[in-house]
Amino acid sequence: MRALNDLRCATICASLIAAAVIVIGQTGCSGGSTLAEPISTVVGDMDDTSYYGQRGQTFRPNAEGEMVCLDQYEGRFVWADYAAPWCPACKHQAQDIRRLDGNCGEDVVFLTVMTSDMGGYGDPATRQTARSWSKSFGLDPSRVLAADLTAKTVPKHILFSPDGQVLFEKTGQLGAGEIRSTLTRYKQEWQAWKSSVSTR
């Protein structure tokens, strides 16, 4: 009887190991992240306006009290990081954004959009929310904005092209290395598309 139980246990263990090997082989250690797409398929047809969203034209106060609109950054890639003070993952994300800001080229701007205050849903972010977040994480106060987006899931990332197209969108925390590699890939693909348009 014991030998039969040992055999069953060994069979189950072997099956679990085989299943794990298959899953890792198919998705990679990252769990099938969207960053694993072949670069040739990263950017679609930017001429098709149904393909992408646009930078917002809504003016929002930054931590310094100035009214800022994403359209002000035309001609540069904009990485918008949506955060809230009650979100632990957003705090880790802010540290990665601070490390990357200024180190990804002059053609990239990092903006943090505070979606709510400590109360969460129904408690919109204020200039004070933005100022406190900027100070806590050493972020440029001119690029930390306050918004009434309390229903948005955070952390969230949106990468806009210099022309305003949404190139990349992801909900969930991304490490500094993932953000940097995403920027590199999408910048390269978008620039290739832009060059192809100018030669038509």
Side-chain angles (χ1 to χ4, degrees):
M1 188 67 156
R2 182 173 176 171
L4 184 59
N5 286 338
D6 287 347
L7 180 60
R8 283 184 186 148
C9 182
T11 303
I12 291 169
C13 288
S15 298
L16 290 173
I17 290 169
V21 168
I22 289 168
V23 168
I24 290 172
Q26 290 176 342
T27 64
C29 293
S30 65
S33 167
T34 57
L35 306 183
E37 299 171 34
I39 195 163
S40 61
T41 62
V42 169
V43 172
D45 181 3
M46 295 282 101
D47 291 322
D48 178 2
T49 56
S50 67
Y51 175 79
Y52 58 84
Q54 290 288 311
R55 279 186 307 251
Q57 296 183 344
T58 304
F59 280 87
R60 295 188 168 101
N62 65 15
E64 297 176 328
E66 302 164 336
M67 298 305 286
V68 177
C69 170
L70 267 63
D71 263 0
Q72 291 176 233
Y73 296 98
E74 184 176 357
R76 299 171 79 181
F77 291 91
V78 175
W79 187 283
D81 163 46
Y82 294 81
W86 48 262
C87 166
C90 294
K91 295 175 182 179
H92 294 293
Q93 193 69 80
Q95 295 167 7
D96 288 323
I97 296 296
R98 185 192 67 238
R99 282 193 285 272
L100 291 168
D101 193 17
N103 293 312
C104 291
E106 292 184 8
D107 61 342
V108 177
V109 176
F110 286 92
L111 294 178
T112 298
V113 182
M114 303 305 295
T115 61
S116 64
D117 203 4
M118 285 303 293
Y121 185 80
D123 188 13
T126 64
R127 177 185 167 201
Q128 179 55 40
T129 312
R131 188 167 48 229
S132 175
W133 193 260
S134 167
K135 188 174 181 180
S136 295
F137 297 102
L139 299 171
D140 181 341
S142 70
R143 289 192 258 132
V144 180
L145 316 181
D148 183 359
L149 298 170
T150 63
K152 187 181 283 290
T153 303
V154 291
K156 185 178 181 74
H157 310 270
I158 303 179
L159 172 62
F160 298 93
S161 79
D163 288 349
Q165 300 111 329
V166 172
L167 298 177
F168 173 84
E169 189 170 344
K170 182 173 176 65
T171 301
Q173 188 177 344
L174 290 173
E178 290 178 299
I179 293 173
R180 189 187 296 277
S181 64
T182 301
L183 269 169
T184 299
R185 294 176 66 203
Y186 280 81
K187 282 171 66 175
Q188 179 183 350
E189 272 290 291
W190 185 83
Q191 287 161 348
W193 169 80
K194 192 70 172 174
S195 295
S196 73
V197 169
S198 64
T199 58
R200 288 179 194 170

mmCIF file of all heavy atoms in Angstrom, residues 120-160:
data_model
loop_
_atom_site.group_PDB
_atom_site.id
_atom_site.type_symbol
_atom_site.label_atom_id
_atom_site.label_comp_id
_atom_site.label_asym_id
_atom_site.label_seq_id
_atom_site.Cartn_x
_atom_site.Cartn_y
_atom_site.Cartn_z
ATOM 1 N N GLY A 120 -9.286 58.146 -1.193
ATOM 2 C CA GLY A 120 -9.561 57.247 -2.322
ATOM 3 C C GLY A 120 -10.747 57.691 -3.138
ATOM 4 O O GLY A 120 -10.910 58.875 -3.440
ATOM 5 N N TYR A 121 -11.628 56.741 -3.472
ATOM 6 C CA TYR A 121 -12.775 57.018 -4.342
ATOM 7 C C TYR A 121 -13.600 58.171 -3.784
ATOM 8 O O TYR A 121 -13.995 58.166 -2.617
ATOM 9 C CB TYR A 121 -13.641 55.761 -4.477
ATOM 10 C CG TYR A 121 -14.775 55.933 -5.458
ATOM 11 C CD1 TYR A 121 -14.550 55.830 -6.821
ATOM 12 C CD2 TYR A 121 -16.057 56.235 -5.014
ATOM 13 C CE1 TYR A 121 -15.579 56.011 -7.734
ATOM 14 C CE2 TYR A 121 -17.097 56.409 -5.921
ATOM 15 C CZ TYR A 121 -16.846 56.296 -7.270
ATOM 16 O OH TYR A 121 -17.861 56.480 -8.173
ATOM 17 N N GLY A 122 -13.860 59.176 -4.630
ATOM 18 C CA GLY A 122 -14.665 60.316 -4.198
ATOM 19 C C GLY A 122 -13.876 61.394 -3.478
ATOM 20 O O GLY A 122 -14.455 62.388 -3.033
ATOM 21 N N ASP A 123 -12.563 61.219 -3.342
ATOM 22 C CA ASP A 123 -11.720 62.203 -2.658
ATOM 23 C C ASP A 123 -10.619 62.643 -3.625
ATOM 24 O O ASP A 123 -9.500 62.142 -3.585
ATOM 25 C CB ASP A 123 -11.115 61.573 -1.391
ATOM 26 C CG ASP A 123 -10.373 62.585 -0.528
ATOM 27 O OD1 ASP A 123 -10.512 63.802 -0.757
ATOM 28 O OD2 ASP A 123 -9.643 62.149 0.391
ATOM 29 N N PRO A 124 -10.932 63.566 -4.556
ATOM 30 C CA PRO A 124 -9.981 63.926 -5.609
ATOM 31 C C PRO A 124 -8.695 64.542 -5.074
ATOM 32 O O PRO A 124 -8.675 65.154 -4.006
ATOM 33 C CB PRO A 124 -10.754 64.933 -6.461
ATOM 34 C CG PRO A 124 -11.856 65.424 -5.599
ATOM 35 C CD PRO A 124 -12.179 64.345 -4.635
ATOM 36 N N ALA A 125 -7.632 64.359 -5.844
ATOM 37 C CA ALA A 125 -6.343 64.942 -5.493
ATOM 38 C C ALA A 125 -6.416 66.461 -5.600
ATOM 39 O O ALA A 125 -7.175 67.009 -6.404
ATOM 40 C CB ALA A 125 -5.261 64.405 -6.423
ATOM 41 N N THR A 126 -5.630 67.139 -4.773
ATOM 42 C CA THR A 126 -5.548 68.589 -4.780
ATOM 43 C C THR A 126 -4.101 69.002 -5.038
ATOM 44 O O THR A 126 -3.197 68.155 -5.090
ATOM 45 C CB THR A 126 -5.997 69.169 -3.423
ATOM 46 O OG1 THR A 126 -5.065 68.710 -2.427
ATOM 47 C CG2 THR A 126 -7.403 68.707 -3.056
ATOM 48 N N ARG A 127 -3.900 70.299 -5.141
ATOM 49 C CA ARG A 127 -2.533 70.797 -5.301
ATOM 50 C C ARG A 127 -1.673 70.332 -4.123
ATOM 51 O O ARG A 127 -0.506 70.000 -4.272
ATOM 52 C CB ARG A 127 -2.564 72.317 -5.394
ATOM 53 C CG ARG A 127 -1.174 72.905 -5.493
ATOM 54 C CD ARG A 127 -1.207 74.417 -5.464
ATOM 55 N NE ARG A 127 0.133 74.932 -5.247
ATOM 56 C CZ ARG A 127 0.386 76.133 -4.781
ATOM 57 N NH1 ARG A 127 -0.601 76.948 -4.474
ATOM 58 N NH2 ARG A 127 1.619 76.538 -4.616
ATOM 59 N N GLN A 128 -2.266 70.306 -2.924
ATOM 60 C CA GLN A 128 -1.534 69.858 -1.734
ATOM 61 C C GLN A 128 -1.134 68.381 -1.868
ATOM 62 O O GLN A 128 -0.041 67.986 -1.470
ATOM 63 C CB GLN A 128 -2.371 70.079 -0.461
ATOM 64 C CG GLN A 128 -1.685 69.621 0.818
ATOM 65 C CD GLN A 128 -0.307 70.239 1.030
ATOM 66 O OE1 GLN A 128 -0.095 71.424 0.770
ATOM 67 N NE2 GLN A 128 0.649 69.439 1.478
ATOM 68 N N THR A 129 -2.016 67.560 -2.442
ATOM 69 C CA THR A 129 -1.695 66.144 -2.679
ATOM 70 C C THR A 129 -0.468 66.051 -3.579
ATOM 71 O O THR A 129 0.470 65.301 -3.299
ATOM 72 C CB THR A 129 -2.873 65.423 -3.373
ATOM 73 O OG1 THR A 129 -4.092 65.710 -2.711
ATOM 74 C CG2 THR A 129 -2.647 63.915 -3.405
ATOM 75 N N ALA A 130 -0.487 66.825 -4.666
ATOM 76 C CA ALA A 130 0.626 66.818 -5.616
ATOM 77 C C ALA A 130 1.908 67.326 -4.965
ATOM 78 O O ALA A 130 2.991 66.764 -5.163
ATOM 79 C CB ALA A 130 0.272 67.662 -6.839
ATOM 80 N N ARG A 131 1.793 68.399 -4.173
ATOM 81 C CA ARG A 131 2.977 68.975 -3.521
ATOM 82 C C ARG A 131 3.583 67.984 -2.525
ATOM 83 O O ARG A 131 4.801 67.794 -2.472
ATOM 84 C CB ARG A 131 2.594 70.280 -2.825
ATOM 85 C CG ARG A 131 3.799 71.043 -2.300
ATOM 86 C CD ARG A 131 3.480 72.472 -1.899
ATOM 87 N NE ARG A 131 2.305 72.574 -1.063
ATOM 88 C CZ ARG A 131 1.305 73.427 -1.284
ATOM 89 N NH1 ARG A 131 1.333 74.236 -2.325
ATOM 90 N NH2 ARG A 131 0.270 73.465 -0.481
ATOM 91 N N SER A 132 2.744 67.328 -1.747
ATOM 92 C CA SER A 132 3.217 66.352 -0.762
ATOM 93 C C SER A 132 3.901 65.166 -1.440
ATOM 94 O O SER A 132 4.961 64.696 -0.995
ATOM 95 C CB SER A 132 2.030 65.872 0.084
ATOM 96 O OG SER A 132 2.428 64.845 0.957
ATOM 97 N N TRP A 133 3.316 64.687 -2.551
ATOM 98 C CA TRP A 133 3.893 63.549 -3.290
ATOM 99 C C TRP A 133 5.245 63.932 -3.900
ATOM 100 O O TRP A 133 6.218 63.185 -3.797
ATOM 101 C CB TRP A 133 2.919 63.113 -4.379
ATOM 102 C CG TRP A 133 3.231 61.797 -5.008
ATOM 103 C CD1 TRP A 133 3.863 61.578 -6.203
ATOM 104 C CD2 TRP A 133 2.913 60.500 -4.499
ATOM 105 N NE1 TRP A 133 3.957 60.229 -6.472
ATOM 106 C CE2 TRP A 133 3.381 59.546 -5.435
ATOM 107 C CE3 TRP A 133 2.278 60.042 -3.348
ATOM 108 C CZ2 TRP A 133 3.231 58.172 -5.246
ATOM 109 C CZ3 TRP A 133 2.121 58.684 -3.159
ATOM 110 C CH2 TRP A 133 2.596 57.770 -4.103
ATOM 111 N N SER A 134 5.287 65.114 -4.473
ATOM 112 C CA SER A 134 6.523 65.601 -5.077
ATOM 113 C C SER A 134 7.638 65.688 -4.036
ATOM 114 O O SER A 134 8.773 65.244 -4.270
ATOM 115 C CB SER A 134 6.279 66.981 -5.704
ATOM 116 O OG SER A 134 7.484 67.610 -6.041
ATOM 117 N N LYS A 135 7.321 66.240 -2.889
ATOM 118 C CA LYS A 135 8.307 66.417 -1.817
ATOM 119 C C LYS A 135 8.738 65.070 -1.242
ATOM 120 O O LYS A 135 9.927 64.842 -1.000
ATOM 121 C CB LYS A 135 7.708 67.300 -0.720
ATOM 122 C CG LYS A 135 8.693 67.702 0.338
ATOM 123 C CD LYS A 135 8.072 68.682 1.312
ATOM 124 C CE LYS A 135 9.093 69.090 2.370
ATOM 125 N NZ LYS A 135 8.529 70.030 3.337
ATOM 126 N N SER A 136 7.789 64.166 -1.037
ATOM 127 C CA SER A 136 8.100 62.859 -0.439
ATOM 128 C C SER A 136 9.059 62.029 -1.282
ATOM 129 O O SER A 136 9.878 61.284 -0.754
ATOM 130 C CB SER A 136 6.815 62.053 -0.219
ATOM 131 O OG SER A 136 5.997 62.679 0.728
ATOM 132 N N PHE A 137 8.948 62.159 -2.623
ATOM 133 C CA PHE A 137 9.728 61.287 -3.499
ATOM 134 C C PHE A 137 10.760 62.030 -4.355
ATOM 135 O O PHE A 137 11.393 61.434 -5.222
ATOM 136 C CB PHE A 137 8.785 60.461 -4.381
ATOM 137 C CG PHE A 137 7.912 59.561 -3.571
ATOM 138 C CD1 PHE A 137 6.587 59.896 -3.324
ATOM 139 C CD2 PHE A 137 8.421 58.406 -3.000
ATOM 140 C CE1 PHE A 137 5.788 59.084 -2.538
ATOM 141 C CE2 PHE A 137 7.628 57.581 -2.205
ATOM 142 C CZ PHE A 137 6.306 57.928 -1.976
ATOM 143 N N GLY A 138 10.935 63.317 -4.098
ATOM 144 C CA GLY A 138 11.939 64.083 -4.828
ATOM 145 C C GLY A 138 11.634 64.243 -6.303
ATOM 146 O O GLY A 138 12.549 64.289 -7.131
ATOM 147 N N LEU A 139 10.350 64.331 -6.634
ATOM 148 C CA LEU A 139 9.935 64.504 -8.027
ATOM 149 C C LEU A 139 9.848 65.990 -8.366
ATOM 150 O O LEU A 139 9.549 66.818 -7.498
ATOM 151 C CB LEU A 139 8.583 63.832 -8.269
ATOM 152 C CG LEU A 139 8.526 62.324 -8.027
ATOM 153 C CD1 LEU A 139 7.089 61.828 -8.090
ATOM 154 C CD2 LEU A 139 9.397 61.585 -9.027
ATOM 155 N N ASP A 140 10.069 66.316 -9.633
ATOM 156 C CA ASP A 140 9.962 67.697 -10.109
ATOM 157 C C ASP A 140 8.530 68.190 -9.858
ATOM 158 O O ASP A 140 7.579 67.651 -10.430
ATOM 159 C CB ASP A 140 10.292 67.739 -11.609
ATOM 160 C CG ASP A 140 10.241 69.137 -12.194
ATOM 161 O OD1 ASP A 140 9.629 70.036 -11.586
ATOM 162 O OD2 ASP A 140 10.802 69.315 -13.288
ATOM 163 N N PRO A 141 8.329 69.200 -8.977
ATOM 164 C CA PRO A 141 6.963 69.644 -8.650
ATOM 165 C C PRO A 141 6.181 70.183 -9.841
ATOM 166 O O PRO A 141 4.951 70.161 -9.835
ATOM 167 C CB PRO A 141 7.184 70.738 -7.583
ATOM 168 C CG PRO A 141 8.599 71.160 -7.739
ATOM 169 C CD PRO A 141 9.350 69.977 -8.282
ATOM 170 N N SER A 142 6.897 70.643 -10.873
ATOM 171 C CA SER A 142 6.182 71.159 -12.045
ATOM 172 C C SER A 142 5.548 70.039 -12.851
ATOM 173 O O SER A 142 4.689 70.280 -13.698
ATOM 174 C CB SER A 142 7.130 71.971 -12.933
ATOM 175 O OG SER A 142 8.078 71.115 -13.564
ATOM 176 N N ARG A 143 5.970 68.780 -12.564
ATOM 177 C CA ARG A 143 5.449 67.656 -13.340
ATOM 178 C C ARG A 143 4.693 66.634 -12.483
ATOM 179 O O ARG A 143 4.560 65.477 -12.858
ATOM 180 C CB ARG A 143 6.590 66.992 -14.113
ATOM 181 C CG ARG A 143 7.050 67.916 -15.235
ATOM 182 C CD ARG A 143 7.964 67.259 -16.213
ATOM 183 N NE ARG A 143 9.335 67.652 -15.948
ATOM 184 C CZ ARG A 143 10.354 66.810 -15.870
ATOM 185 N NH1 ARG A 143 10.181 65.530 -16.024
ATOM 186 N NH2 ARG A 143 11.562 67.247 -15.634
ATOM 187 N N VAL A 144 4.201 67.086 -11.340
ATOM 188 C CA VAL A 144 3.287 66.270 -10.529
ATOM 189 C C VAL A 144 1.962 67.011 -10.506
ATOM 190 O O VAL A 144 1.866 68.133 -9.999
ATOM 191 C CB VAL A 144 3.826 66.049 -9.101
ATOM 192 C CG1 VAL A 144 2.843 65.192 -8.300
ATOM 193 C CG2 VAL A 144 5.201 65.388 -9.136
ATOM 194 N N LEU A 145 0.943 66.405 -11.094
ATOM 195 C CA LEU A 145 -0.345 67.066 -11.299
ATOM 196 C C LEU A 145 -1.420 66.485 -10.386
ATOM 197 O O LEU A 145 -1.350 65.321 -9.990
ATOM 198 C CB LEU A 145 -0.796 66.912 -12.756
ATOM 199 C CG LEU A 145 0.249 67.132 -13.846
ATOM 200 C CD1 LEU A 145 -0.387 66.973 -15.218
ATOM 201 C CD2 LEU A 145 0.902 68.483 -13.707
ATOM 202 N N ALA A 146 -2.432 67.281 -10.113
ATOM 203 C CA ALA A 146 -3.581 66.837 -9.317
ATOM 204 C C ALA A 146 -4.784 66.695 -10.226
ATOM 205 O O ALA A 146 -5.064 67.580 -11.034
ATOM 206 C CB ALA A 146 -3.876 67.847 -8.211
ATOM 207 N N ALA A 147 -5.497 65.568 -10.096
ATOM 208 C CA ALA A 147 -6.647 65.314 -10.964
ATOM 209 C C ALA A 147 -7.798 64.718 -10.172
ATOM 210 O O ALA A 147 -7.606 64.147 -9.097
ATOM 211 C CB ALA A 147 -6.252 64.364 -12.092
ATOM 212 N N ASP A 148 -8.989 64.857 -10.721
ATOM 213 C CA ASP A 148 -10.171 64.211 -10.150
ATOM 214 C C ASP A 148 -10.443 62.953 -10.973
ATOM 215 O O ASP A 148 -11.293 62.935 -11.858
ATOM 216 C CB ASP A 148 -11.358 65.175 -10.197
ATOM 217 C CG ASP A 148 -12.596 64.581 -9.546
ATOM 218 O OD1 ASP A 148 -12.539 63.420 -9.079
ATOM 219 O OD2 ASP A 148 -13.632 65.271 -9.509
ATOM 220 N N LEU A 149 -9.680 61.915 -10.687
ATOM 221 C CA LEU A 149 -9.804 60.644 -11.408
ATOM 222 C C LEU A 149 -9.878 59.503 -10.387
ATOM 223 O O LEU A 149 -9.189 58.498 -10.509
ATOM 224 C CB LEU A 149 -8.598 60.444 -12.338
ATOM 225 C CG LEU A 149 -8.410 61.467 -13.453
ATOM 226 C CD1 LEU A 149 -7.056 61.288 -14.132
ATOM 227 C CD2 LEU A 149 -9.524 61.331 -14.487
ATOM 228 N N THR A 150 -10.705 59.675 -9.386
ATOM 229 C CA THR A 150 -10.696 58.745 -8.251
ATOM 230 C C THR A 150 -11.102 57.321 -8.617
ATOM 231 O O THR A 150 -10.795 56.384 -7.884
ATOM 232 C CB THR A 150 -11.609 59.253 -7.116
ATOM 233 O OG1 THR A 150 -12.956 59.312 -7.583
ATOM 234 C CG2 THR A 150 -11.170 60.624 -6.629
ATOM 235 N N ALA A 151 -11.783 57.133 -9.737
ATOM 236 C CA ALA A 151 -12.207 55.788 -10.123
ATOM 237 C C ALA A 151 -11.125 55.027 -10.897
ATOM 238 O O ALA A 151 -11.285 53.844 -11.183
ATOM 239 C CB ALA A 151 -13.483 55.852 -10.959
ATOM 240 N N LYS A 152 -10.016 55.698 -11.234
ATOM 241 C CA LYS A 152 -8.961 55.047 -12.025
ATOM 242 C C LYS A 152 -8.162 54.072 -11.165
ATOM 243 O O LYS A 152 -7.796 54.382 -10.037
ATOM 244 C CB LYS A 152 -8.032 56.095 -12.637
ATOM 245 C CG LYS A 152 -7.013 55.507 -13.612
ATOM 246 C CD LYS A 152 -6.101 56.586 -14.185
ATOM 247 C CE LYS A 152 -6.773 57.404 -15.242
ATOM 248 N NZ LYS A 152 -7.024 56.660 -16.493
ATOM 249 N N THR A 153 -7.880 52.895 -11.704
ATOM 250 C CA THR A 153 -7.044 51.913 -11.019
ATOM 251 C C THR A 153 -5.588 52.352 -11.141
ATOM 252 O O THR A 153 -5.130 52.726 -12.213
ATOM 253 C CB THR A 153 -7.207 50.519 -11.647
ATOM 254 O OG1 THR A 153 -8.597 50.159 -11.587
ATOM 255 C CG2 THR A 153 -6.394 49.475 -10.920
ATOM 256 N N VAL A 154 -4.874 52.318 -10.014
ATOM 257 C CA VAL A 154 -3.468 52.743 -10.004
ATOM 258 C C VAL A 154 -2.599 51.641 -9.368
ATOM 259 O O VAL A 154 -3.121 50.820 -8.610
ATOM 260 C CB VAL A 154 -3.302 54.076 -9.231
ATOM 261 C CG1 VAL A 154 -3.937 55.216 -9.973
ATOM 262 C CG2 VAL A 154 -3.847 53.982 -7.814
ATOM 263 N N PRO A 155 -1.296 51.633 -9.694
ATOM 264 C CA PRO A 155 -0.609 52.503 -10.643
ATOM 265 C C PRO A 155 -0.985 52.168 -12.085
ATOM 266 O O PRO A 155 -1.303 51.028 -12.405
ATOM 267 C CB PRO A 155 0.880 52.219 -10.392
ATOM 268 C CG PRO A 155 0.917 50.845 -9.798
ATOM 269 C CD PRO A 155 -0.362 50.683 -9.051
ATOM 270 N N LYS A 156 -0.946 53.182 -12.925
ATOM 271 C CA LYS A 156 -1.233 53.020 -14.349
ATOM 272 C C LYS A 156 -0.223 53.839 -15.129
ATOM 273 O O LYS A 156 0.218 54.894 -14.665
ATOM 274 C CB LYS A 156 -2.652 53.480 -14.668
ATOM 275 C CG LYS A 156 -3.066 53.223 -16.117
ATOM 276 C CD LYS A 156 -4.487 53.662 -16.357
ATOM 277 C CE LYS A 156 -4.925 53.392 -17.786
ATOM 278 N NZ LYS A 156 -5.176 51.985 -18.060
ATOM 279 N N HIS A 157 0.145 53.349 -16.307
ATOM 280 C CA HIS A 157 1.129 54.019 -17.152
ATOM 281 C C HIS A 157 0.556 54.209 -18.552
ATOM 282 O O HIS A 157 -0.056 53.299 -19.094
ATOM 283 C CB HIS A 157 2.400 53.173 -17.284
ATOM 284 C CG HIS A 157 2.927 52.711 -15.973
ATOM 285 N ND1 HIS A 157 3.827 53.442 -15.241
ATOM 286 C CD2 HIS A 157 2.675 51.592 -15.243
ATOM 287 C CE1 HIS A 157 4.113 52.792 -14.128
ATOM 288 N NE2 HIS A 157 3.421 51.675 -14.105
ATOM 289 N N ILE A 158 0.793 55.392 -19.116
ATOM 290 C CA ILE A 158 0.452 55.634 -20.519
ATOM 291 C C ILE A 158 1.640 56.361 -21.159
ATOM 292 O O ILE A 158 2.122 57.366 -20.620
ATOM 293 C CB ILE A 158 -0.829 56.479 -20.689
ATOM 294 C CG1 ILE A 158 -2.016 55.813 -19.995
ATOM 295 C CG2 ILE A 158 -1.133 56.688 -22.172
ATOM 296 C CD1 ILE A 158 -3.323 56.597 -20.083
ATOM 297 N N LEU A 159 2.103 55.841 -22.288
ATOM 298 C CA LEU A 159 3.171 56.488 -23.051
ATOM 299 C C LEU A 159 2.563 57.126 -24.293
ATOM 300 O O LEU A 159 1.920 56.445 -25.093
ATOM 301 C CB LEU A 159 4.238 55.467 -23.457
ATOM 302 C CG LEU A 159 5.328 55.970 -24.422
ATOM 303 C CD1 LEU A 159 6.138 57.110 -23.803
ATOM 304 C CD2 LEU A 159 6.239 54.820 -24.843
ATOM 305 N N PHE A 160 2.771 58.442 -24.431
ATOM 306 C CA PHE A 160 2.287 59.193 -25.588
ATOM 307 C C PHE A 160 3.454 59.512 -26.517
ATOM 308 O O PHE A 160 4.553 59.828 -26.054
ATOM 309 C CB PHE A 160 1.634 60.516 -25.154
ATOM 310 C CG PHE A 160 0.433 60.346 -24.270
ATOM 311 C CD1 PHE A 160 0.563 60.365 -22.892
ATOM 312 C CD2 PHE A 160 -0.828 60.184 -24.814
ATOM 313 C CE1 PHE A 160 -0.537 60.224 -22.062
ATOM 314 C CE2 PHE A 160 -1.947 60.045 -23.994
ATOM 315 C CZ PHE A 160 -1.800 60.057 -22.616
#
